[in-house]
């Protein structure tokens, strides 16, 4: 399974149309369809109900779509986390300050 296949699946769910999903993913429609078919083959279940056009997802496809969205979300969180470390931010400081000390703490923290 490739992240790209999950991106194709989520784009298809969003666009509800193979050609528009392919356009959103910057690939040809046959490439998008092939990627989804490969995912179906790897999982051993049909994911997309097909006719002459997109007809929706199978029950298994709904589950795969849910997981695909979670995986892509986690990928995005990973990228953001790595970016904060790259920028030198390695943690979060939380401090409790009494109201009387708030001004002094603000100057020290700055």
């Amino acid at each position: 399974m490739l992240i790209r296949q999950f991106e194709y699946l989520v784009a298809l769910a969003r666009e509800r149309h193979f050609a528009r999903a392919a356009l959103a993913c910057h690939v040809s429609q046959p490439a998008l369809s092939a990627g989804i078919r490969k995912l179906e083959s790897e999982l051993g279940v049909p994911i997309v109900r097909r006719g002459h056009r997109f007809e929706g997802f199978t029950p298994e496809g709904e589950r795969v779509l849910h997981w695909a969205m979670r995986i892509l979300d986690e990928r995005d969180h990973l990228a953001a986390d790595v970016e904060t470390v790259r920028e030198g931010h390695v943690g979060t400081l939380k401090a409790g300050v009494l109201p009387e000390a708030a001004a002094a703490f603000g100057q020290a923290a700055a």
Side-chain angles (χ1 to χ4, degrees), residues 97-106:
V97 179
L98 296 172
E100 300 84 29
F105 180 78

Side-chain angles (χ1 to χ4, degrees), residues 17-99:
H17 189 272
F18 281 99
R20 288 192 304 264
L23 187 62
C25 292
H26 308 288
V27 296
S28 67
Q29 188 273 323
L32 181 122
S33 293
I36 291 173
R37 278 199 177 89
K38 179 136 176 58
L39 184 59
E40 290 174 322
S41 175
E42 290 174 13
L43 293 172
V45 295
I47 296 172
V48 176
R49 287 184 292 138
R50 296 173 178 88
H52 291 300
R53 61 185 61 170
F54 175 73
E55 295 179 357
F57 294 98
T58 64
E60 298 89 351
E62 292 290 343
R63 303 280 304 244
V64 175
L65 176 61
H66 173 77
W67 276 100
M69 290 167 36
R70 287 179 59 186
I71 289 167
L72 294 176
D73 187 52
E74 289 294 323
R75 185 239 5 227
D76 294 344
H77 281 94
L78 170 62
D81 189 43
V82 170
E83 180 65 18
T84 60
V85 173
R86 189 182 69 75
E87 292 174 351
H89 304 284
V90 294
T92 302
L93 172 65
K94 295 182 181 182
V97 179
L98 296 172

